[in-house]
Amino acid sequence: MYIPPHFQEIDPQEIKAIMEAAPLACIVAQTEQGLIANHIPLLSGPDSNLIGHVALANEMHRVLADGQEVLVIFRGEDGYVSPNYYPTKQDRHRHVPTWNYQVVHAYGGITFQHDEHAKRAAVGLLTRTHERRVNGRNAWRMADAPGEYMQQMLGGIVAFRIEVTRLIAKSKLSQNREDRDYIGAISGLKASGQDALARRMERRLNEDD
């Protein structure tokens, strides 16, 4: 990934936040038939490994060898930035459109797990995290489903872990603009309904103060 120095994201907490806010990751891998890509919800476990599962019918666990390196892409907020957002455009007219975004690339070896313990752990971690976020105290639990049904569902998946060996991240958030254009970009993004990206830029502005 091309990362100019002023867009390189090195804050571990920000990198973690991007991954947690965009858990539907794209896993890219090379196979004998060429590149494959799968979009799969992932979570970081206690050991910082990425945890997930795929359908048993998904060929990914058959065409990738255990330990094979994969690229995992977490794409955060993104949005179009018009030159009209910049106050200095009225003075210089030397601006072009751009796109602001945040993204994390994780590299590591993938290992598939077919045992029931690993599958229960993967499903339990994913559902517990997202159910608590959505439903709070009324979160759905695996125990809410009949045991026989849960056993059947677990039989239709394969768990996996990715041992992360390298993380690179990019926050392209108009850091290369002067202050009044930066603030103008925030206002323009808000006006176009891109509030989440605008809030992230505001947060960075406050962090720098």
Side-chain angles (χ1 to χ4, degrees), residues 2-144:
Y2 169 62
I3 311 180
H6 47 277
F7 294 146
Q8 184 177 14
E9 183 58 71
I10 59 174
D11 180 359
Q13 292 305 312
E14 185 63 22
I15 293 172
K16 179 182 178 183
I18 296 169
M19 295 168 67
E20 289 180 349
L24 183 63
C26 180
I27 303 177
V28 183
Q30 181 69 53
T31 73
E32 292 182 357
Q33 291 75 40
L35 288 171
I36 62 169
N38 283 272
H39 302 267
I40 300 170
L42 298 178
L43 284 177
S44 183
D47 53 5
S48 297
N49 289 344
L50 297 174
I51 298 170
H53 61 83
V54 294
L56 186 63
N58 189 325
E59 288 294 317
M60 189 172 86
H61 69 96
R62 298 185 182 92
V63 298
L64 299 185
D66 275 350
Q68 180 174 334
E69 185 180 51
V70 296
L71 165 62
V72 184
I73 302 171
F74 294 88
R75 201 186 83 177
E77 299 295 340
D78 73 282
Y80 175 79
V81 179
S82 168
N84 290 338
Y85 297 166
Y86 305 135
T88 60
K89 172 181 174 290
Q90 307 306 319
D91 305 328
R92 299 195 280 269
H93 296 283
R94 297 179 66 85
H95 296 297
V96 293
T98 191
W99 208 279
N100 278 4
Y101 59 91
Q102 289 188 293
V103 68
V104 175
H105 286 188
Y107 297 82
I110 190 167
T111 302
F112 296 99
Q113 301 164 302
H114 298 269
D115 61 286
E116 184 174 327
H117 176 75
K119 291 191 284 187
R120 282 188 178 274
V123 173
L125 179 63
L126 284 159
T127 55
R128 183 167 61 250
T129 299
H130 295 296
E131 279 292 325
R132 287 176 178 175
R133 183 180 301 163
V134 173
N135 293 317
R137 295 177 62 182
N138 296 318
W140 178 88
R141 299 171 303 164
M142 292 175 68
D144 291 343

Side-chain angles (χ1 to χ4, degrees), residues 89 186 209:
K89 172 181 174 290
I186 292 173
D209 287 344

